Amino acid sequence: NEVNLKGRIIGGCLDSLLDIVGTRFDSVKGFNERYKQEGQIWYFDIADLSIEDTIRGLWQLKNAGWFDNAKGFIFGRINRMTNHLKIPFPEGIRRVLESLNVPIIINADICHTNPKLAVINGALTDITSKGGQGVINFHLS
């Protein structure tokens, strides 16, 4: 299916972001409030988390209010992931995020795995994706 998203992009390495949720370094609620009219496009890459850790981590962020204004999600490619429960990555992600009723793009050219597109946190972003191909435009205003 074709996906068209527009909003403020925010995210990073899920492994690291889980360490700041709920701490004094967690300023996501302020970011969400400031840009609530535009909404957020969340992007994540996963370095060493298992599928079970990823599911729990996304659940934690969702329940901490990080995704309150989410317009969509983008996940970078994963080279390796421990998966004790044998849950396919897309299914695990959908289990946590489907209640938000927003598009989810998986296996994007972002983050740890080459080729890597740099993502500009906080930029107003337009994303179009269809048939495994996509375009991301960042607007620095």
Side-chain angles (χ1 to χ4, degrees):
N1 295 340
E2 184 169 342
V3 174
N4 294 292
L5 293 170
K6 183 174 184 174
R8 293 278 170 182
I9 198 159
I10 188 169
C13 180
L14 186 61
D15 308 50
S16 299
L17 291 172
L18 291 173
D19 292 336
I20 66 166
V21 66
T23 71
R24 64 186 172 105
F25 302 104
D26 179 352
S27 57
V28 171
K29 285 186 182 181
F31 183 87
N32 283 349
E33 181 62 27
R34 182 174 180 181
Y35 299 111
K36 68 181 171 187
Q37 297 300 324
E38 296 161 338
Q40 286 74 50
I41 300 169
W42 283 92
Y43 76 93
F44 296 110
D45 104 88
I46 297 149
D48 294 316
L49 297 176
S50 68
I51 186 66
E52 296 84 7
D53 294 332
T54 301
I55 291 168
R56 281 192 304 271
L58 291 171
W59 180 88
Q60 179 183 5
L61 296 179
K62 181 177 153 186
N63 284 282
W66 281 35
F67 306 152
D68 287 354
N69 301 321
K71 289 196 151 179
F73 294 87
I74 305 174
F75 291 86
R77 277 177 277 98
I78 298 170
N79 280 337
R80 65 183 198 294
M81 178 178 271
T82 305
N83 189 336
H84 300 287
L85 298 178
K86 306 298 183 219
I87 300 168
F89 181 75
E91 181 183 334
I93 299 306
R94 277 194 296 274
R95 284 184 186 186
V96 179
L97 301 177
E98 70 185 348
S99 66
L100 299 173
N101 199 31
V102 297
I104 301 169
I105 299 169
I106 296 174
N107 291 325
D109 289 340
I110 59 171
C111 306
H112 284 97
T113 306
N114 287 323
K116 323 173 197 187
L117 171 69
V119 178
I120 304 168
N121 270 327
L124 189 57
T125 306
D126 295 302
I127 298 171
T128 303
S129 175
K130 183 176 181 179
Q133 302 292 314
V135 175
I136 300 177
N137 292 304
F138 301 106
H139 308 280
L140 304 179
S141 59

